[in-house]
Amino acid sequence: FGWKCVESDWDRWENWREAVLEVCSCQQQDGGEELKVCIIEIGCGLNVPTCRNTSEQMVEDLVARGGTAHLVRINPDFPLAPPESETEDHLIPVMSRGLQALEQIDEIYMDLKQQQHKDDVDE
């Protein structure tokens, strides 16, 4: 398996990234509610740090533009941020395999959703 950079994929990523950062900046300038973003990174190890670096950079860029960003890093071996990282305060490390973590997150989300529905009905 070799890394193959596809220009159209890169362009799509950059367009999405710039659009999100622009929305974040506009909401901050307009005095609106800050943009809240959660990035979920699954299984990105230390051997090829490209994905980890990209996720961390996106979090830093969002925070710099006034947004709230969290990085959920799911990795059975290396879920933590590098020491002294700017991302450290925005990281939620999950020491787990990807599918197992996603199933647990889904279960918790569904429980919260049911509780919210119950609370709404009780009001």
Side-chain angles (χ1 to χ4, degrees):
F1 301 113
W3 172 257
K4 183 177 179 183
C5 184
V6 178
E7 189 172 338
S8 61
D9 290 345
W10 178 256
D11 292 343
R12 204 168 24 256
W13 157 253
E14 279 298 313
N15 289 337
W16 177 85
R17 181 182 172 282
E18 289 303 319
V20 171
L21 294 174
E22 180 66 24
V23 168
C24 188
S25 294
C26 288
Q27 284 188 250
Q28 181 68 18
Q29 292 170 359
D30 294 344
E33 189 173 326
E34 65 189 1
L35 184 66
K36 297 176 185 174
V37 177
C38 178
I39 299 169
I40 300 177
E41 181 191 277
I42 303 171
C44 301
L46 300 177
N47 290 336
V48 182
T50 306
C51 186
R52 291 170 73 98
N53 294 343
T54 301
S55 299
E56 291 173 9
Q57 186 62 56
M58 186 66 178
V59 167
E60 291 172 21
D61 291 345
L62 286 161
V63 170
R65 286 170 175 79
T68 298
H70 289 92
L71 170 58
V72 178
R73 177 168 282 157
I74 301 169
N75 188 290
D77 301 312
F78 306 106
L80 301 176
E84 312 284 328
S85 168
E86 290 180 37
T87 311
E88 194 170 23
D89 292 339
H90 304 277
L91 179 72
I92 301 169
V94 179
M95 188 172 270
S96 175
R97 301 197 59 79
L99 180 58
Q100 178 185 8
L102 289 176
E103 289 172 341
Q104 289 176 325
I105 290 168
D106 184 57
E107 184 178 324
I108 292 167
Y109 174 74
M110 295 307 288
D111 289 346
L112 290 171
K113 191 173 175 182
Q114 287 177 349
Q115 184 62 44
Q116 180 65 42
H117 177 71
K118 182 181 174 205
D119 291 347
D120 290 345
V121 170
D122 291 343
E123 288 180 1

